[in-house]
Amino acid sequence: MDLNTKNTWCPGCGNFAIEKAVKKVIEKIGEENTVITAGIGCHGKIIDYLNVSSFYGLHGRPVITATGIKIGNPDLNVIAFTGDGDSLNEGVSHLVHAVKRNSDITVILHENRNFALTVKQFTATSPRGFISNSSPSGNIEDPINPLALVYASGGTFIARGFSGNVYQLQDLIMQGVKHKGFSFIEVLQPCVAWFDTYDDYREKTYNLEGVPKDPLRKINEWNYENGGKIPLGVFHKEEKESFEEKMSRGDKKINTKEFLKNKA
Ligand SMILES: Cc1ncc(C[n+]2csc(CCOP(=O)(O)OP(=O)(O)O)c2C)c(N)n1
Ligand code: SF4
């Protein structure tokens, strides 16, 4: 499945583990049934290394591109690779709306907490105090929690993996791809060049036992400001009709006058 392309990721980059896990998944689900998309950034290069039909979006556009591909051919497995800068800064509205629609796609967030390809600027998930080329005196903003954003937007499969545990990652991606509806996997992906979080994550990560009954509490258990242990695994899973299923049968129509009368 490899393409004969020179790999330009830094040695030790957390992206290698994502590539390895995804390759195993695609080998099982079949590359002929799969299309991948990516945004612009170090994460996006993954599609140069996999011999699968693929499409580079503009920066911040891999999720909406994946949505379009899935509408065009609902039989495909469609996987979007995105960075924290890509889908939580640049293209955050596309992410939120794909979740809201429950588009039947899988989004893999390469969470390295900086704009890495453009050599270290702070993103929406960089911690407070993060010194970067766009925050030389330290980032004064609080980071957002991507899992909380996806949960609040109505996400139906929400998980977190870590580049330091490729087998678990493979399992989470496989579960995400099999899920009917929008699946979101945040991957803690250390960027050894600009933000090497390997030791921190190795020390603090632990595996969830089953799917938590109170997902939001678990999702909010850890962030960079509070410290504490970092849960990995599936946080939330629910069955809900996907966007493509609704499209194919047509949704109910609401007469607004009737609707308001019934509400009164
Ligand atoms: C519309 C637009 N804005 C900015 C850029 C410049 N740019 C290219 S890659 C990149 C950083 C990507 O960061 P992220 O999405 O976090 O991915 P990473 O490199 O960390 O994997 C930026 C800002 C661009 N190509 N297009
Ligand atoms: S800059 Fe960071 S994210 Fe990009 S290849 Fe190097 S280690 Fe990986």
Side-chain angles (χ1 to χ4, degrees):
M1 186 191 294
D2 291 316
L3 271 183
N4 202 12
T5 320
K6 188 176 185 305
N7 190 308
T8 56
W9 284 330
C10 307
C13 174
N15 282 324
F16 286 102
I18 302 177
E19 183 195 0
K20 198 169 171 185
V22 164
K23 258 189 204 162
K24 289 279 175 211
V25 170
I26 296 179
E27 272 166 23
K28 287 191 181 138
I29 59 176
E31 56 193 71
E32 65 288 355
N33 311 319
T34 304
V35 177
I36 57 180
T37 70
I40 306 299
C42 296
H43 66 275
K45 295 180 187 180
I46 195 167
I47 68 174
D48 293 340
Y49 308 144
L50 299 171
N51 194 9
V52 180
S53 299
S54 59
F55 200 100
Y56 263 116
L58 294 171
H59 193 23
R61 273 67 182 171
V63 174
I64 192 66
T65 309
T67 305
I69 293 169
K70 185 72 185 184
I71 292 171
N73 185 349
D75 293 334
L76 293 170
N77 302 302
V78 186
I79 306 173
F81 299 93
T82 190
D84 40 298
D86 196 58
S87 269
L88 294 163
N89 288 85
E90 197 83 29
V92 65
S93 61
H94 293 303
L95 175 67
V96 168
H97 284 274
V99 181
K100 170 183 173 285
R101 292 184 191 113
N102 200 27
S103 296
D104 188 14
I105 60 173
T106 300
V107 174
I108 298 179
L109 175 69
H110 299 227
E111 173 67 287
N112 58 28
R113 299 177 195 282
N114 79 107
F115 285 104
L117 188 73
T118 43
V119 301
K120 196 180 189 183
Q121 293 82 26
F122 78 96
T123 66
T125 59
S126 301
R128 280 270 290 276
F130 184 66
I131 295 172
S132 74
N133 288 314
S134 57
S135 54
S137 309
N139 175 24
I140 56 171
E141 298 178 23
D142 287 323
I144 61 168
N145 179 338
L147 300 186
L149 177 73
V150 171
Y151 185 75
S153 308
T156 54
F157 181 94
I158 302 174
R160 180 190 285 134
F162 168 38
S163 291
N165 189 343
V166 73
Y167 296 109
Q168 180 192 42
L169 196 52
Q170 191 182 314
D171 174 55
L172 294 174
I173 296 171
M174 183 57 99
Q175 286 192 55
V177 169
K178 293 240 161 98
H179 174 74
K180 265 265 153 269
F182 188 90
S183 52
F184 184 79
I185 299 136
E186 177 191 36
V187 185
L188 304 179
Q189 178 251 305
C191 166
V192 292
W194 313 122
F195 196 14
D196 188 351
T197 44
Y198 266 121
D199 288 345
D200 193 39
Y201 290 157
R202 280 211 181 93
E203 190 193 317
K204 293 183 183 156
T205 46
Y206 77 95
N207 296 332
L208 289 169
E209 282 174 22
V211 182
K213 288 203 171 63
D214 184 350
L216 201 52
R217 197 180 63 77
K218 270 288 161 205
I219 285 171
N220 286 324
E221 189 174 284
W222 170 77
N223 67 42
Y224 256 101
E225 306 315 317
N226 303 340
K229 293 278 179 198
I230 310 172
L232 300 177
V234 178
F235 290 77
H236 180 61
K237 206 172 163 177
E238 75 178 86
E239 302 242 338
K240 198 172 159 190
E241 197 169 31
S242 72
F243 182 63
E244 294 74 19
E245 285 169 335
K246 281 195 255 181
M247 269 194 85
S248 67
R249 69 160 170 74
D251 209 357
K252 63 182 175 198
K253 296 185 178 66
I254 291 177
N255 173 310
T256 43
K257 274 190 190 150
E258 285 294 313
F259 178 75
L260 292 172
K261 209 162 75 189
N262 291 340
K263 285 267 169 201

